[in-house]
Amino acid sequence: ADGGGASVDPAAPAATSVTVPGKASKNYSIQFIQGVAGDEFYISMQCGIEAEAAKLGVTVNTQGPQKFDPTLQRPIVDSVRANKPDAVLIAPTDVTAMQSPLEAVAQGGSKVVLVDTTTEDPSYAASAIASDNIGGGKAAFEAIKQLNPDGGKVMIMSTDPGISTTDARAKGFEDAVKADSKFQYVGIQYSHNDPATAANLMTSSLQKDADLVGVFAANLFAAEGTATGVRQANKGAQVKIVGFDAGPGQVKALRDGTVNALVAQQPATIGQYGVDMAVAALDGGQVTPKVQTGFTVITKENLDTPEGQAAVYKS
Ligand code: T6T
């Protein structure tokens, strides 16, 4: 559990509440397909999924591609479709490339529930559950602003264009920077979800903009590589990093001071709601088509408070 239900924290941004179904009418088969295997965010989501599946009496299987890449996720989706599970919970890796494979899953008779990311037209899905990613990007800018009250140059380290979550976070951040005349937005870099690439991009960004004061790293792997690049350039005191996600590695980076703030999502809650919506769709219960979950900004100051500890990803 990563902090419980969507509307528990009064300080959290607007979140949707869902009607939790009772026990399923039968032991449905649910397939969970992660964006990428081995990622702390999806591991925490899997915990939420498995706990809720046990409660409602349904069976879950999990698999995911070795990279956050539609060419690797598509074959998994195609083979899952052939098995016709009752429901598929999936974080699609690209808004365009995963559109028709997922339409085909729904046409094949499986209920589709999107968890985390989405595609360009999710009308095939029973429900789509995601963080307030635009709000999270905006909150990341507010955190950078607190760390650099005098303003200056800022940039974004993202993953790849065409991923709904990181694109929305970048948009929230960009719009907020552009509305603040003290800050100058120098652009976005795409690290392909690879920390080593993010570190190299950070090195060249610091060569181009030596006076950079802040970086918004739009997910876990981007934050890891950004911190490495800034550290290698010995610019840790000057460049403040705000990352998304709060797995064990990110929390350690926060404690060590290589990252200055984290926007923690609620992956276990997203997973829990995913199972709730799948079972509701299968049993003719109450389905909420679009569900938004909240986030918590964690800094060294609140990390060891009950709120900070509740927001850290559990596995
Ligand atoms: O930030 C999460 C997830 O929300 C995003 O869609 C992809 O990256 C993560 O899984 C973190 O690695």
Side-chain angles (χ1 to χ4, degrees):
D2 55 17
S7 50
V8 170
D9 177 4
T16 319
S17 56
V18 305
T19 303
V20 177
K23 248 190 165 359
S25 66
K26 63 179 248 210
N27 182 0
Y28 292 119
S29 60
I30 297 183
Q31 178 70 47
F32 172 40
I33 304 174
Q34 305 140 313
V36 59
D39 170 333
E40 294 293 346
F41 172 83
Y42 295 115
I43 291 172
S44 192
M45 185 185 287
Q46 187 181 345
C47 289
I49 288 173
E50 284 170 358
E52 193 67 355
K55 228 188 250 172
L56 301 190
V58 295
T59 300
V60 178
N61 283 298
T62 299
Q63 59 178 322
Q66 289 308 309
K67 284 192 203 164
F68 199 98
D69 180 341
T71 64
L72 301 180
Q73 193 184 44
R74 187 183 176 143
I76 296 176
V77 169
D78 291 345
S79 75
V80 161
R81 184 194 64 210
N83 291 336
K84 294 189 186 296
D86 293 309
V88 175
L89 267 48
I90 181 167
T93 44
D94 185 274
V95 284
T96 316
M98 295 312 295
Q99 177 70 29
S100 64
L102 288 174
E103 279 172 0
V105 172
Q107 275 156 17
S110 302
K111 300 286 184 195
V112 178
V113 175
L114 302 176
V115 281
D116 178 44
T117 44
T118 186
T119 64
E120 54 199 6
D121 174 12
S123 52
Y124 55 81
S127 178
I129 303 152
S131 294
D132 175 7
N133 286 299
I134 291 199
K138 196 167 163 241
F141 175 66
E142 291 303 321
I144 285 200
K145 198 169 152 172
Q146 280 200 1
L147 293 157
N148 299 286
D150 297 335
K153 287 184 183 170
V154 294
M155 62 168 274
I156 302 174
M157 184 65 71
S158 191
T159 52
D160 280 299
I163 300 171
S164 63
T165 48
T166 45
D167 282 353
R169 291 168 201 169
K171 177 161 180 16
F173 183 86
E174 260 181 61
D175 288 351
V177 186
K178 287 177 182 165
D180 191 321
S181 58
K182 278 191 173 175
F183 285 86
Q184 189 191 341
Y185 177 58
V186 301
I188 185 163
Q189 299 285 334
Y190 292 105
S191 61
H192 316 305
N193 217 30
D194 175 35
T197 305
N200 288 337
L201 288 169
M202 209 48 239
T203 305
S204 46
S205 298
L206 284 167
Q207 278 158 4
K208 189 172 136 273
D209 291 297
D211 52 349
L212 204 69
V213 300
V215 184
F216 169 40
N219 86 338
L220 195 155
F221 299 105
E224 187 186 326
T226 299
T228 304
V230 168
R231 198 173 56 238
Q232 283 169 350
N234 276 320
K235 293 254 187 189
Q238 172 194 317
V239 184
K240 305 298 181 200
I241 303 172
V242 176
F244 232 80
D245 297 305
Q250 292 74 57
V251 170
K252 184 177 184 305
L254 185 64
R255 280 201 198 282
D256 294 348
T258 58
V259 168
N260 304 92
L262 303 172
V263 182
Q265 308 186 70
Q266 300 180 335
T269 303
I270 295 174
Q272 175 198 325
Y273 288 173
V275 174
D276 291 340
M277 292 302 96
V279 168
L282 288 162
D283 276 344
Q286 197 177 324
V287 178
T288 308
K290 203 164 183 266
V291 181
Q292 179 170 284
T293 53
F295 58 81
T296 305
V297 178
I298 313 180
T299 60
K300 254 189 183 168
E301 280 64 52
N302 69 355
L303 174 59
D304 291 314
T305 65
E307 186 207 15
Q309 284 302 302
V312 163
Y313 299 178
K314 313 286 188 306
S315 52

